[in-house]
Amino acid sequence: MPQDRPQMSEDDDGQSPPLDLRSAAIADPCSSSPNKSRNCIPSGAMTSQAFPDHVLENVLENVLQFLDSRSDRNAASLVCKSWWRVESLTRSEVFIGNCYALSPARLTQRFKRIRSLLLKGKPRFADFNLMPPDWGANFAPWVSTMAKAYPWLEKVDLKRMFVTDDDLALLADSFPGFKELILVCCEGFGTSGIAIVANKCRKLKVLDLIESEVSDDEVDWISCFPEDVTNLESLAFDCVEAPINFKALESLVGRSPFLKKLRLNRFVSLEELHRLLLGAPQLTSLGTGSFSHDNAPQSEQEPDYAAAFRACKSVVCLSGFRELMPEYLPAIFPVCANLTSLNFSYANVSPDMFKPIIHNCHKLQVFWALDSICDEGLLAVAATCKELRELRIFPFDPREDSEGPVSEVGLLAISEGCRNLESILYFCQRMTNAAVITMSENCPELTVFRLCIMGRHRPDHVTGKPMDEGFGAIVKNCKKLTRLAVSGLLTDQAFRYMGEYGKLIRTLSVAFAGDSDMALRHVLEGCPRLQKLEIRDSPFGDVALRSGMHRYYNMRFVWMSACRLSKGCCRDIARAMPNLVVEVIGSDDDEDNRDYVETLYMYRSLDGPRKDAPKFVTIL
Amino acid sequence: MIGQLMNLKATELCLGLPGGPETVESPAKSAVGNKRGFSETVDLMLNLQSNKEGTVDLNNIAAAPKEKTLITDPAKPPAKAQVVGWPPVRNYRKNMMTQQKTTGSEEANSDKAGTGAALVKVSMDGAPYLRKVDLKMYKSYQDLSDALAKMFSSFTMGNYGAQGMIDFMNESKLMDLLNSSEYVPSYEDKDGDWMLVGDVPWEMFVESCKRLRIMKGSEAIGLAPRAMEKYCKNRS
């Protein structure tokens, strides 16, 4: 007998304090069955005689409200049907790691009161031109389905999705309470779409455009925000490659008293930044824009930039420096001591410019930079930043055969000085096993280890040996490791280590590595937590792929490009695993008898293969 | 140095097709302990990528700095052609670095109006923002008209799109329309003239339209005589 679901009252947003039993019963506006005279339930009493399930579900609702973590919620929903139902009603934030794992309809059928959606689209290797454009990951079907189902939607957080201006327009029109829009690595829209959101989402608190491609439609979107005081808490547009109306921006910042995070694009000059800072000393996170002069610097009355920074006592997170004039860098001295996060990864600073700055940053926990700071700069980081948790060093010159100013020397220094390191991304041209082994011993808290030796198949540059032992030590000693990216010359041995010790690994990135199918087999057979596997240009073939069939339903996706897979094998797997979508991307269309698979992208799906696949995608 | 030699040889990439004739390991490579059996992916991948529609833009952006630096390094042996997507640095970041290196001010993020798209800006009098449409997405004036009506529906309050396409043959009807407060679409053509939309056959319109503007009929009245003129000329 189907039971009416207990409905929460309209203005209960899942965060309100628990309702007592009686008010929960009274608040049910939708009960239609005559059996449900729940108003009679005395408060406090858990009468299990007449309506046991209703009482239970009420209690459950009040309890499950407190569950935030999605793994907890997923676990709760598996207990029994009743729990499943109540959990579905009380979940307000949903995370979808692969937009093609299910259809929007399924989402709205199961969860009725979603306020917040996190949705991820394209696989990460698409960032590196390994996938033709227009592959998919369209936001359109999601927004149109949610427009009808979730009128109270407040937050949308998208990563690697294709979002059009029309989608943004629909979003702005459909959700009157919309508060947060976060677009990370997205594309397909322009400043006109942003303008619509700015104009129509009157309750907007967060508008974060992060590393997205935003086309310049020559729209003054900053002026499109409403005239009165805004609710803005965070505005990030550092990736928008279009000039902005500074006067309008200044006015916007002036009428946004709650603004804490502001990330400017490179079209905001140093003088303009200065003016903004004087008007917004409450900022906690600042992206400084270009950090350089307009073309005509006034040498007479140069503004006191340091004073502006001095006034910003709350800034703990600093980024930007998109066109840095290094002579002005000392202006940030006043905030260094408070910084917990510093992003210099677009600033070509030399060690000499850098060292005086970092010397003051004792509290730094997150640090991103270019390798232009050299090993010397890394030594300085190691000497000062004892609290460092996350380090990312990007190459200023991202070519295989470039100079490479950082090496094992810098890595070693960091491992000595920053014992609390949890996450590292390190691009370099040369590395040694010894340094990597030392890091594995010094930094037991590492959960993310991504080392990119930029020359393909490059061995330990001192011993000439493969990098097997270094990566082996990482998986062996870093017992909390969940994410690993390998590089350099690697044999099957490295993968043997991964399979043996990498028991917590969830994400693995492999490029130009391994000798044979055995390598991949070690990983597929040995890493029970593996969720995301991305492999390129490695000699893994059908035997290896087949060896993982027991895993694929438990994984989010597998990407293999330029390996040694045949269409026949992929077809076999697709047939054997009906809930797995097996996409073969990019093979030449006119050579149908060609059995070679250029790119394989496969993922589990509850709703079968997608209907929007472009011509260059074959779903087996 | 042996190490460097190994580097050069070891980094030559071979991608072997299963069982195909291309799986040939050149003796030179295997002599240096290269255990792989791939044939060079470099050219293979670059060619494939640039043949596909739409990838040209991305590759141009990413490839440009590589091409420059390939030439400017005489001291080293000629740099090998770069492999697609390696090292794994996002295009966005590469573009930023390119800008800094060349200190150029060109937009690295060019519009996707590369092969095939005919993007034009659409403005509507009174609306606070522009839109963009790809004319190649539509097959006829009616399609375009419907799309524009939907796009600007919140501003026109029904004063646009309901009347359908402008009927140039019916002069009195045309004049009525242009005297009203209804919105009509106009466009800027290749010659820089502003015309009423609908005066030329659709395909010709797609070729010559540079920009669209939706204006009140009463404002468009100045366009009418020219529109009629060109219309008659094109029809005959």
Side-chain angles (χ1 to χ4, degrees):
Chain A
M1 174 185 77
Q3 291 171 341
D4 285 332
R5 300 196 196 110
Q7 295 276 353
M8 289 199 284
S9 60
E10 274 298 293
D11 38 16
D12 179 359
D13 63 357
Q15 267 109 31
S16 53
L19 310 168
D20 65 29
L21 285 179
R22 185 193 286 156
S23 53
I26 292 169
D28 180 2
C30 299
S31 58
S32 49
S33 156
N35 283 345
K36 294 205 56 189
S37 47
R38 287 154 75 231
N39 295 338
C40 301
I41 298 173
S43 68
M46 307 258 271
T47 45
S48 52
Q49 306 156 318
F51 318 101
D53 291 316
H54 302 308
V55 172
L56 179 62
E57 288 193 355
N58 264 336
V59 172
L60 215 46
E61 227 181 273
N62 293 330
V63 170
L64 289 186
Q65 273 178 123
F66 291 103
L67 279 186
D68 287 329
S69 118
R70 65 177 194 263
S71 50
D72 287 347
R73 280 190 161 270
N74 290 344
S77 68
L78 292 174
V79 170
C80 66
K81 274 213 170 89
S82 188
W83 282 55
W84 187 92
R85 227 184 351 256
V86 176
E87 195 283 314
S88 300
L89 281 175
T90 56
R91 192 183 295 223
S92 64
E93 176 171 29
V94 72
F95 169 82
I96 298 176
N98 174 8
C99 64
Y100 286 121
L102 69 155
S103 66
R106 184 177 289 264
L107 171 72
T108 54
Q109 272 156 28
R110 175 169 172 186
F111 297 111
K112 296 299 185 185
R113 306 190 68 96
I114 294 297
R115 299 287 170 122
S116 163
L117 171 73
L118 267 97
L119 185 60
K120 293 191 181 179
K122 288 186 250 188
R124 200 176 70 94
F125 273 10
D127 290 351
F128 314 125
N129 290 359
L130 291 181
M131 185 184 250
D134 303 328
W135 171 81
N138 299 304
F139 184 48
W142 294 90
V143 65
S144 59
T145 307
M146 291 194 303
K148 300 177 201 121
Y150 301 141
W152 304 115
L153 192 69
E154 291 178 359
K155 175 176 169 184
V156 165
D157 183 336
L158 305 177
K159 188 165 186 181
R160 291 194 191 94
M161 296 288 297
F162 191 84
V163 184
T164 65
D165 291 332
D166 285 333
D167 298 335
L168 293 176
L170 183 58
L171 184 144
D173 273 329
S174 312
F175 308 118
F178 196 74
K179 293 190 180 140
E180 297 187 42
L181 181 64
I182 302 166
L183 300 175
V184 181
C185 300
C186 294
E187 56 173 355
F189 62 102
T191 46
S192 46
I194 298 304
I196 302 174
V197 172
N199 188 254
K200 292 197 171 174
C201 301
R202 300 266 147 167
K203 302 232 168 116
L204 199 65
K205 290 200 306 189
V206 173
L207 178 59
D208 281 353
L209 307 171
I210 299 169
E211 290 196 26
S212 292
E213 223 179 277
V214 184
S215 75
D216 179 8
D217 303 332
E218 287 168 33
V219 171
D220 181 3
W221 59 278
I222 294 275
S223 298
C224 292
F225 281 95
E227 292 279 312
D228 29 306
V229 170
T230 75
N231 294 316
L232 278 179
E233 295 175 15
S234 173
L235 178 64
F237 60 95
D238 39 357
C239 63
V240 176
E241 284 295 296
I244 52 137
N245 178 341
F246 178 70
K247 256 184 100 182
L249 176 64
E250 199 177 7
S251 159
L252 177 66
V253 170
R255 59 184 198 278
S256 304
F258 306 110
L259 193 67
K260 288 282 191 289
K261 299 184 183 178
L262 180 63
R263 285 165 55 166
L264 308 166
N265 70 4
R266 66 180 177 91
F267 293 88
V268 179
S269 70
L270 203 44
E271 297 99 333
E272 290 170 340
L273 172 67
H274 179 255
R275 279 170 61 180
L276 284 176
L277 287 182
L278 291 177
Q282 81 282 6
L283 291 176
T284 59
S285 171
L286 174 67
T288 62
S290 70
F291 218 82
S292 73
H293 277 308
D294 286 338
N295 290 332
Q298 307 101 324
S299 46
E300 312 203 359
Q301 274 264 285
E302 191 129 87
D304 187 353
Y305 298 122
F309 278 95
R310 213 172 293 129
C312 294
K313 298 193 195 313
S314 318
V315 165
V316 292
C317 175
L318 198 58
S319 63
F321 310 101
R322 296 290 171 129
E323 290 169 352
L324 174 68
M325 283 184 177
E327 57 269 31
Y328 292 101
L329 207 44
I332 70 170
F333 274 142
V335 296
C336 286
N338 295 331
L339 287 182
T340 55
S341 171
L342 177 59
N343 184 346
F344 269 162
S345 67
Y346 294 101
N348 187 10
V349 268
S350 67
D352 289 331
M353 299 263 158
F354 172 67
K355 288 190 326 191
I357 304 283
I358 201 70
H359 189 65
N360 296 322
C361 300
H362 301 276
K363 289 192 191 164
L364 211 58
Q365 295 176 22
V366 175
F367 180 57
W368 293 22
L370 289 177
D371 58 5
S372 57
I373 62 171
C374 302
D375 284 330
E376 201 184 329
L378 288 170
L379 261 81
V381 172
T384 313
C385 307
K386 299 301 176 189
E387 301 304 313
L388 199 69
R389 287 181 300 116
E390 176 178 326
L391 176 70
R392 295 197 196 192
I393 300 296
F394 295 95
F396 176 67
D397 187 358
R399 287 175 305 130
E400 273 188 79
D401 41 11
S402 58
E403 267 309 312
V406 299
S407 68
E408 75 277 5
V409 173
L411 192 75
L412 210 44
I414 293 288
S415 77
E416 299 283 336
C418 308
R419 299 295 175 111
N420 296 322
L421 198 66
E422 294 172 9
S423 169
I424 183 166
L425 169 63
Y426 198 84
F427 281 84
C428 58
Q429 290 287 4
R430 51 195 193 287
M431 186 48 59
T432 63
N433 282 305
V436 178
I437 293 171
T438 306
M439 175 160 266
S440 78
E441 291 162 353
N442 287 349
C443 303
E445 301 298 314
L446 277 175
T447 55
V448 174
F449 186 81
R450 299 159 69 191
L451 177 63
C452 183
I453 303 169
M454 289 195 275
R456 289 166 285 154
H457 311 302
R458 201 166 282 175
D460 177 323
H461 80 98
V462 166
T463 66
K465 294 212 171 105
M467 292 298 299
D468 298 339
E469 294 308 310
F471 285 105
I474 290 285
V475 288
K476 193 166 167 196
N477 299 332
C478 301
K479 311 231 190 288
K480 301 182 182 180
L481 196 76
T482 55
R483 183 171 180 182
L484 180 67
V486 301
S487 60
L489 181 64
L490 292 170
T491 70
D492 288 351
Q493 179 59 39
F495 295 87
R496 194 169 291 127
Y497 286 138
M498 284 179 230
E500 190 175 340
Y501 298 108
K503 296 306 176 188
L504 295 184
I505 294 179
R506 287 172 41 96
T507 307
L508 179 64
S509 300
V510 175
F512 305 102
D515 298 325
S516 74
D517 283 341
M518 276 315 296
L520 182 53
R521 285 186 62 179
H522 287 309
V523 166
L524 288 171
E525 288 165 6
C527 300
R529 297 280 176 95
L530 193 61
Q531 288 289 300
K532 299 182 265 183
L533 181 60
E534 43 190 32
I535 302 175
R536 64 167 293 184
D537 293 274
S538 300
F540 307 144
D542 297 344
V543 171
L545 194 65
R546 276 186 229 274
S547 73
M549 280 172 69
H550 63 294
R551 295 277 308 126
Y552 299 140
Y553 277 158
N554 292 325
M555 293 175 66
R556 194 183 294 172
F557 71 80
V558 172
W559 168 290
M560 288 178 67
S561 59
C563 296
R564 288 178 155 176
L565 302 171
S566 73
K567 267 219 189 97
C569 172
C570 295
R571 212 171 272 127
D572 289 345
I573 292 187
R575 244 178 255 137
M577 305 182 73
N579 287 331
L580 199 68
V581 176
V582 179
E583 291 193 14
V584 171
I585 301 169
S587 321
D588 286 327
D589 305 299
D590 44 5
E591 292 184 46
D592 269 356
N593 49 3
R594 198 167 156 175
D595 202 28
Y596 170 63
V597 168
E598 191 185 312
T599 299
L600 167 74
Y601 180 53
M602 61 187 195
Y603 49 89
R604 62 187 168 191
S605 170
L606 291 172
D607 290 311
R610 58 190 177 114
K611 314 260 186 321
D612 63 354
K615 268 200 294 225
F616 54 81
V617 169
T618 314
I619 300 186
L620 298 176
Chain B
M1 297 281 222
I2 299 172
Q4 283 196 1
L5 236 168
M6 276 189 72
N7 283 351
L8 280 175
K9 290 279 159 84
T11 48
E12 273 180 276
L13 231 286
C14 292
L15 180 64
L17 306 177
E22 294 95 305
T23 355
V24 172
E25 289 189 47
S26 70
K29 288 172 197 166
S30 42
V32 198
N34 184 338
K35 296 166 192 159
R36 266 147 291 284
F38 296 110
S39 57
E40 298 219 348
T41 56
V42 175
D43 290 322
L44 186 70
M45 289 200 79
L46 283 176
N47 279 339
L48 279 174
Q49 289 285 32
S50 60
N51 278 343
K52 295 197 171 60
E53 265 189 27
T55 55
V56 181
D57 284 348
L58 291 175
N59 277 336
N60 281 344
I61 293 167
K66 295 166 192 161
E67 280 162 15
K68 281 186 199 155
T69 44
L70 280 173
I71 304 167
T72 55
D73 229 344
K76 291 184 175 172
K80 25 184 201 321
Q82 302 289 317
V83 172
V84 172
W86 187 263
V89 175
R90 283 198 194 129
N91 281 336
Y92 173 73
R93 185 170 282 285
K94 274 189 182 150
N95 296 342
M96 293 299 119
M97 294 296 100
T98 312
Q99 263 167 23
Q100 290 197 16
K101 280 183 215 166
T102 60
T103 62
S105 51
E106 2 170 353
E107 267 184 42
N109 289 341
S110 52
D111 284 342
K112 292 213 173 44
T115 40
L119 289 173
V120 296
K121 295 190 183 138
V122 187
S123 62
M124 171 178 269
D125 290 358
Y129 38 77
L130 289 182
R131 298 299 300 273
K132 260 181 159 167
V133 290
D134 177 3
L135 292 178
K136 298 242 169 113
M137 301 269 295
Y138 309 105
K139 299 195 206 67
S140 68
Y141 281 117
Q142 193 57 48
D143 275 354
L144 175 64
S145 181
D146 290 340
L148 291 178
K150 234 194 311 187
M151 234 183 248
F152 289 98
S153 55
S154 49
F155 297 106
T156 59
M157 294 170 296
N159 279 348
Y160 174 64
Q163 76 279 21
M165 283 314 307
I166 299 171
D167 185 358
F168 283 89
M169 289 311 286
N170 188 335
E171 205 182 311
S172 61
K173 206 169 163 198
L174 180 62
M175 286 305 144
D176 278 343
L177 180 63
L178 296 176
N179 279 321
S180 68
S181 63
E182 307 242 329
Y183 285 88
V184 293
S186 63
Y187 73 102
E188 183 182 4
D189 71 3
K190 275 200 280 232
D191 307 325
D193 294 326
W194 283 89
M195 316 287 294
L196 283 177
V197 167
D199 56 345
V200 298
W202 173 253
E203 291 76 16
M204 207 182 289
F205 168 72
V206 173
E207 292 302 310
S208 64
C209 172
K210 294 216 326 257
R211 219 188 142 109
L212 278 164
R213 181 178 156 202
I214 302 175
M215 48 175 51
K216 283 236 171 76
S218 42
E219 294 204 25
I221 200 154
L223 301 178
R226 269 182 303 154
M228 292 297 291
E229 198 185 289
K230 266 200 170 175
Y231 177 76
C232 296
K233 193 169 69 162
N234 285 327
R235 281 281 190 234
S236 59

